[in-house]
Amino acid sequence: MLVIRTPEELSRAATRLHRAAAPSVGGVLVPTMGALHAGHTALIRRGVELAKGSAAACVVSIFVNPTQFNQPSDYDRYPRTLDADLAVCEAAGATVVFAPAQEVMYPPGAPVQVPPLPAVATEPGLEDAFRPGHFAGVCQVVLRLLRLLGPDAAVFGEKDWQQLRVVASMTREAGLPTRIIPHPTLRDPDGLAMSSRNRFLSPDERRAALAIPAALRAATQAAGDGEGAMRRVLERAALRVEYAVVRDANTLGPGTGRGLIAAWSGRTRLIDNTAVGVA
Ligand code: AMP
């Protein structure tokens, strides 16, 4: 497994992988912010499988992207575990890890390129309403990664459903050739969706957080009013709920197809979602 940190190392890696001068690494990209858990491992394994099919590389990027954090304190306390992450990538079969410094992703003095945001990033009133600027930062970093690495495909988790829809739309609207591949959410045995932020939960906060997957299950089982079913579960829990809605799965506008929740347990913000009302 190659670990590379700069565009120069990248082009050397591309040449080595393709055995000839090549404009990009290609292959399959799995973008992450590190602090890898079994959910990420599943994405990397998927990337490795997809890459194998076309004898290409599976590249994992690890970069804690400052522009997508709303609070400097959230950015500062985000877990950074690079040595352990490299071991996870190696064990999962990744070919390359791209772990750039901030100056590589955001060269000082270079104009900041934010692609036009798709409607699904600005209109649903979900993450866009509660984390202003978040998707501008996500699109900025994903666009830069796609341009630097030129992957044929990139794997994104369904855990961040709105992000998945935003990245798929942004990639299409920017005319980029990369296919966006969704991967299902991995959960702990108690049902909580795996997240790098779960480590911040106290035992009581974690118990309270289980109301999130419970509410999503209730929505799935409800005959009609999925939102009502979620509300009834959530109002009994010690959580501060930002949204608990059922929306069209693609546009995230009015409709049915996906139940989505964002809620705080103590000082930790958690998001989760599931298919609702689809056969
Ligand atoms: P992050 O490092 O949290 O930015 O996540 C990197 C990628 O892993 C994103 O595409 C996430 O949607 C995905 N991911 C995070 N948690 C999970 C999970 N529990 N199951 C599946 N994918 C996940």
Side-chain angles (χ1 to χ4, degrees):
M1 188 179 80
L2 285 174
V3 181
I4 55 185
R5 295 170 187 279
T6 63
E8 294 72 36
E9 288 173 3
L10 254 179
S11 55
R12 277 202 295 277
T15 304
R16 202 160 132 188
L17 287 164
H18 300 291
R19 295 186 178 67
S24 70
V25 177
V28 182
L29 172 65
V30 183
T32 80
M33 296 204 300
L36 302 181
H37 51 66
H40 297 111
T41 306
L43 265 62
I44 299 169
R45 291 227 167 91
R46 178 82 177 275
V48 169
E49 278 309 303
L50 288 164
K52 235 189 241 161
S54 51
C58 172
V59 183
V60 180
S61 65
I62 299 178
F63 179 62
V64 184
N65 174 34
T67 64
Q68 72 186 69
F69 285 82
N70 308 78
Q71 307 287 342
S73 58
D74 189 24
Y75 174 69
D76 289 343
R77 82 164 182 160
Y78 200 83
R80 288 155 172 91
T81 58
L82 187 61
D83 289 342
D85 292 346
L86 293 178
V88 169
C89 293
E90 177 105 58
T95 327
V96 176
V97 171
F98 180 49
Q102 194 162 318
E103 311 79 73
V104 170
M105 293 305 284
Y106 299 115
V112 177
Q113 286 192 343
V114 183
L117 291 184
V120 69
T122 54
E123 286 177 14
L126 301 175
E127 294 299 291
D128 47 308
F130 290 94
R131 302 189 67 187
H134 170 65
F135 285 130
V138 168
C139 286
Q140 193 180 10
V141 78
V142 171
L143 191 67
R144 179 121 173 92
L145 284 170
L146 296 183
R147 290 203 168 129
L148 271 174
L149 299 163
D152 304 316
V155 186
F156 284 83
E158 291 182 352
K159 156 81 170 42
D160 300 273
W161 185 265
Q162 190 175 5
Q163 168 174 282
L164 171 64
R165 303 314 323 155
V166 167
V167 168
S169 297
M170 188 265 295
T171 309
R172 197 174 49 244
E173 289 170 18
L176 294 168
T178 307
R179 273 186 306 135
I180 303 300
I181 313 279
H183 192 84
T185 301
L186 268 88
R187 298 178 180 280
D188 280 325
D190 60 9
L192 191 67
M194 291 178 184
S195 163
S196 304
R197 289 188 170 88
N198 289 354
R199 69 189 71 195
F200 298 134
L201 297 168
S202 69
D204 280 350
E205 289 167 352
R206 184 173 173 112
R207 260 189 299 279
L210 293 181
I212 297 172
L216 290 169
R217 282 194 302 275
T220 310
Q221 289 154 9
D225 182 14
E227 290 191 0
M230 288 198 282
R231 247 191 330 270
R232 283 189 289 282
V233 175
L234 290 170
E235 68 197 11
R236 294 197 292 268
L239 296 175
R240 185 158 62 78
V241 177
E242 285 185 341
Y243 58 79
V245 296
V246 176
R247 294 289 179 84
D248 178 273
N250 289 317
T251 64
L252 299 186
T256 188
R258 208 80 198 171
L260 305 108
I261 296 176
W264 291 80
S265 191
R267 290 178 53 228
T268 305
R269 185 176 187 273
L270 301 168
I271 58 171
D272 200 352
N273 67 87
T274 195
V276 169
V278 283

